[in-house]
Amino acid sequence: MTLETLCQQATNSLLDMDEDLAYETLDAAIAAEYNLTELLTNGYSVGMQELGEQFSAGEVFLPDLMYAAEIMQTVSARIEEQMVDGDGAAETSGTAVFCTVQGDVHDIGKGICCALLKAGGFKVYDLGRDVDPEVIVAKAEEVGADIIGMSALLTTTMTVQKTVIDMLTERGLREKYKVMVGGAPVTSRWAEKIGADCYSEDAADCVEKAGTLI
Ligand code: B12
């Protein structure tokens, strides 16, 4: 089977919430030694995004969405394992501290960004979701991060990205870090308004921009 066919199958597996198909597709791609980044971004991610739109339009119920989110997380974790085992993480391009901000539990997109950054040679500290601004700043200081990446999927939690940037400025730490922001409601305009260094629409762009920021 071609990679293109497997990507389509990966998309369908999420849209149909077919767990077995999702894992079979991944196994087939691993066996064929296909590019798993492509399978993630052009396959599973597309399915998750389409399902998200269906949910927003009231065509999919919350329990189904949560089930698909679980499948997506298992798949992302397995792909990340494969990438770390492979040659992707051999060199360190820089150090990034990533999280989903306080009050927000949406971590699928953040997880994909972390997986691709690791594959791109970054050392990534994934702090998880619903993370307190103090914890983000403390971790960046502790590990000497180059990049702080913050994901927010709710309009109510986007403001926490600003809180962290303001905190860095007030403490005289702002120049030490490149701050990247993202998540579905975030725009380049918002990034500019709050004084972030960079906004990315998707994970592949996030890795590319992270590389140019350092
Ligand atoms: C899946 C989902 C959930 C899952 C989350 C599971 C999980 N573990 O993440 C569950 C069911 C738990 C959930 C809960 C809720 N959700 Co919800 N959820 C979604 C949904 C459908 C998809 C999000 C997703 O995973 N997309 C797929 C990923 C791959 O895309 P992504 O996150 O955008 O990430 C990509 C880019 O944005 C970028 N990126 C992401 N982060 C970052 C960070 C950086 C630094 C960079 C550079 C780039 C980057 O790269 C990623 C990969 O390409 C969206 C709808 C949507 N269309 O977005 C609603 C949505 C975000 N949820 C919404 C809401 C309201 C909620 C709830 C409040 C519902 C409720 N009433 O309880 C709760 C929130 C609880 C909380 N405190 O957080 C609203 C938000 C509305 C708003 N304007 O604020 C949305 C938009 C749905 C809607 N239209 O109503 N949700």
Side-chain angles (χ1 to χ4, degrees):
M1 222 182 283
T2 64
L3 176 58
E4 203 182 359
T5 312
L6 286 177
C7 283
Q8 188 57 55
Q9 199 168 287
T11 302
N12 292 343
S13 72
L14 280 178
L15 288 173
D16 298 340
M17 286 157 266
D18 185 337
E19 193 172 0
D20 291 341
L21 183 64
Y23 303 150
E24 278 165 31
T25 305
L26 179 55
D27 288 339
I30 293 170
E33 297 185 5
Y34 282 139
N35 182 330
L36 298 181
T37 303
E38 251 183 68
L39 185 71
L40 188 59
T41 50
N42 300 335
Y44 296 108
S45 239
V46 173
M48 196 64 221
Q49 250 140 7
E50 274 181 39
L51 202 66
E53 280 157 29
Q54 291 177 10
F55 174 71
S56 302
E59 292 161 7
V60 167
F61 295 111
L62 189 62
D64 289 337
L65 184 70
M66 290 174 80
Y67 181 53
E70 272 171 36
I71 299 174
M72 181 76 193
Q73 272 168 330
T74 307
V75 162
S76 299
R78 279 199 58 202
I79 290 181
E80 194 179 318
E81 264 170 39
Q82 293 286 327
M83 285 169 169
V84 173
D85 286 348
D87 54 11
E91 283 176 33
T92 304
S93 312
T95 301
V97 164
F98 249 73
C99 71
T100 298
V101 297
Q102 193 166 46
D104 201 324
V105 302
H106 297 88
D107 60 359
I108 296 172
K110 181 267 303 165
I112 295 174
C113 289
C114 288
L116 295 200
L117 280 167
K118 283 180 195 168
F122 282 84
K123 185 165 180 56
V124 181
Y125 292 87
D126 182 352
L127 307 185
R129 57 191 183 178
D130 189 13
V131 182
D132 186 323
E134 290 286 359
V135 173
I136 302 172
V137 176
K139 193 69 187 178
E141 284 287 282
E142 180 197 326
V143 302
D146 302 297
I147 292 175
I148 295 176
M150 290 180 281
S151 183
L153 266 285
L154 298 171
T155 43
T156 47
T157 57
M158 282 163 68
T159 52
V160 182
Q161 295 175 333
K162 181 177 184 309
T163 305
V164 173
I165 293 174
D166 290 348
M167 204 180 255
L168 291 171
T169 307
E170 281 157 20
R171 297 179 187 182
L173 303 172
R174 180 67 188 88
E175 298 309 317
K176 286 176 75 174
Y177 307 105
K178 298 293 181 191
V179 178
M180 303 183 80
V181 291
V186 177
T187 59
S188 50
R189 200 153 161 241
W190 169 253
E192 206 178 306
K193 187 173 168 193
I194 64 173
D197 296 295
C198 167
Y199 156 76
S200 283
E201 199 177 6
D202 59 51
D205 186 49
C206 168
V207 179
E208 206 181 306
K209 288 190 176 147
T212 56
L213 277 176
I214 299 182

